[in-house]
Amino acid sequence: MSKTIKKIAVLTSGGDSPGMNAAIRSVVRTCAYYNVDCVGIYRGYQGMIEGDFKEMGPRSVHNIINKGGTILKSARSKEFMTVEGRAKAHKNLVEAGVEALVVIGGDGSFTGAEVFNNEYNFPVMGIPGTIDNDIFGTSHTLGYDTALNTVVECIDKIRDTASSHNRLFFVEVMGRDAGHIALNAGIGAGAEEILIPEEDLGLERLLESLRKSKLSGKSSSIVVIAEGDKIGKNVFELKDYVEENMPEYDVRVSVLGHMQRGGSPSCYDRVLASRLGVKAVESILEGKSNFMVGILNDKVALTPLEQAIKGHSEIDHELVRVSDIMTT
């Protein structure tokens, strides 16, 4: 392996997700394996602008593979969106002897990395870290599997209450633009209906589905709804609409919110993070730049950052069909 890079920096940016720490660990230890220095950048791009750097070695990342969140912290930086802000960041990297950058985050973080690469020809490599699983070029993003398990566990507990009180629960999960969490968790938790942005169910069809459930003998129901679903302005207005048209239902709303982001990463996310971190560093050392490292057909693959940012993560329509059959 030809190696000219002597120092690589790693940062986490945007919303945190379980598995980010495992990815940091992987990047740091892969650098050590190849005798490359590694620098951790605190608070994402804002820390890069302010020079908030720390040398990292194998022992500095011990006992973090099992922790949620990110030890490097995360922040959104408006200053990095400016030419002046990126100039400060580049100056700090050069002065610190950093020659390449690994960015762990979502499409906004990757957009910043691509712009930075285009302006300064600075080697960058992206690792997808977001629970929404809405990035093109990878079947799984870091944190997605953990978030699914968290949501299913929560819905299982909610079902106990729903069954005890003959209630209808609307459970809102994250997914502003994509319904991956809602669709998969809904099937996994046995939801009676699943509402996602990609499939416009419509209010009348929802009522029809709930009436069928009632007639079939179901005394309680769980409806999983992605926060970006367009069927109503919000989940609380949807609750009011159902109560007005189906007064026989005692309707409750549970918004799972940021608990989906937290928690110890699943084994899948830990292994995925380890694989992607190794590939990110090795790709940089091979002279590659401006790519995202992802997983496709269980193989680690590179996707140009531009495609990862602009591409659309498609919902699995086979799962939509399975969902329709399972809610019969």
Side-chain angles (χ1 to χ4, degrees):
M1 181 179 293
S2 62
K3 177 169 70 68
T4 56
I5 300 290
K6 297 294 184 182
K7 184 179 284 191
I8 294 174
V10 58
L11 64 80
T12 51
S13 175
D16 65 288
S17 65
M20 280 186 165
N21 280 327
I24 294 168
R25 174 181 179 269
S26 179
V27 169
V28 171
R29 293 197 169 177
T30 305
C31 284
Y33 181 84
Y34 288 108
N35 295 313
V36 174
D37 292 334
C38 189
V39 170
I41 301 176
Y42 285 85
R43 296 176 296 113
Y45 291 125
Q46 192 60 36
M48 198 157 81
I49 290 170
E50 296 174 9
D52 196 358
F53 302 164
K54 181 181 178 180
E55 298 282 341
M56 301 185 78
R59 301 286 70 80
S60 65
V61 291
H62 75 289
N63 293 337
I64 69 168
I65 193 171
N66 61 316
K67 299 185 186 306
T70 162
I71 63 167
L72 291 179
K73 310 297 182 183
S74 185
R76 302 183 192 279
S77 175
K78 290 185 177 179
E79 191 176 356
F80 192 76
M81 297 178 185
T82 67
V83 173
E84 294 78 12
R86 293 190 294 274
K88 290 180 188 177
H90 181 256
K91 180 174 180 289
N92 287 333
L93 290 177
V94 171
E95 289 180 350
V98 174
E99 298 170 291
L101 179 66
V102 176
V103 175
I104 306 169
D107 55 2
S109 305
F110 292 165
T111 299
E114 186 189 26
V115 171
F116 192 71
N117 171 264
N118 290 339
E119 285 182 344
Y120 295 101
N121 194 29
F122 198 91
V124 297
M125 197 66 58
I127 296 177
T130 168
I131 67 168
D132 289 338
N133 204 44
D134 59 352
I135 295 180
F136 179 82
T138 185
S139 62
H140 287 71
T141 55
L142 295 183
Y144 173 57
D145 183 72
T146 305
L148 284 181
N149 291 327
T150 299
V151 170
V152 168
E153 183 179 351
C154 290
I155 295 174
D156 287 348
K157 295 180 189 301
I158 290 170
R159 186 177 291 282
D160 292 342
T161 294
S163 300
S164 299
H165 296 276
N166 296 337
R167 284 175 176 161
L168 163 63
F169 266 88
F170 284 110
V171 182
E172 184 185 271
V173 301
M174 284 186 168
R176 187 173 60 250
D177 301 309
H180 297 287
I181 292 177
L183 180 58
N184 283 267
I187 293 173
E192 278 68 36
E193 197 59 74
I194 301 168
L195 309 179
I196 57 177
E198 295 87 346
E199 299 284 321
D200 187 5
L201 180 66
L203 290 169
E204 289 309 313
R205 190 183 148 193
L206 173 61
L207 291 180
E208 181 185 348
S209 174
L210 293 174
R211 291 189 182 107
K212 283 182 179 178
S213 294
K214 200 77 170 174
L215 289 172
S216 70
K218 291 182 180 179
S219 59
S220 64
S221 290
I222 301 286
V223 176
V224 178
I225 175 170
E227 62 181 325
D229 182 71
K230 305 300 190 294
I231 194 171
K233 289 184 180 178
N234 60 58
V235 67
F236 295 100
E237 285 194 6
L238 193 57
K239 166 189 176 292
D240 293 340
Y241 181 83
V242 171
E243 283 182 329
E244 288 172 9
N245 289 274
M246 298 186 70
E248 65 271 25
Y249 265 123
D250 182 11
V251 187
R252 294 289 188 273
V253 171
S254 183
V255 178
L256 299 188
H258 284 78
M259 73 170 67
Q260 295 161 85
R261 284 193 192 276
S264 180
S266 65
C267 179
Y268 183 90
D269 276 327
R270 298 182 197 193
V271 174
L272 178 62
S274 300
R275 295 175 71 184
L276 299 187
V278 169
K279 184 65 173 179
V281 173
E282 289 184 342
S283 296
I284 287 172
L285 298 183
E286 290 167 357
K288 296 183 176 70
S289 176
N290 224 23
F291 286 96
M292 180 196 75
V293 185
I295 192 87
L296 293 172
N297 300 316
D298 202 35
K299 300 292 183 184
V300 179
L302 296 180
T303 299
L305 277 181
E306 184 179 12
Q307 289 184 23
I309 295 162
K310 295 181 179 178
H312 184 64
S313 175
E314 296 287 340
I315 203 76
D316 188 339
H317 290 283
E318 174 65 17
L319 281 182
V320 174
R321 193 175 72 85
V322 168
S323 170
D324 289 339
I325 293 171
M326 290 299 101
T327 55
T328 300

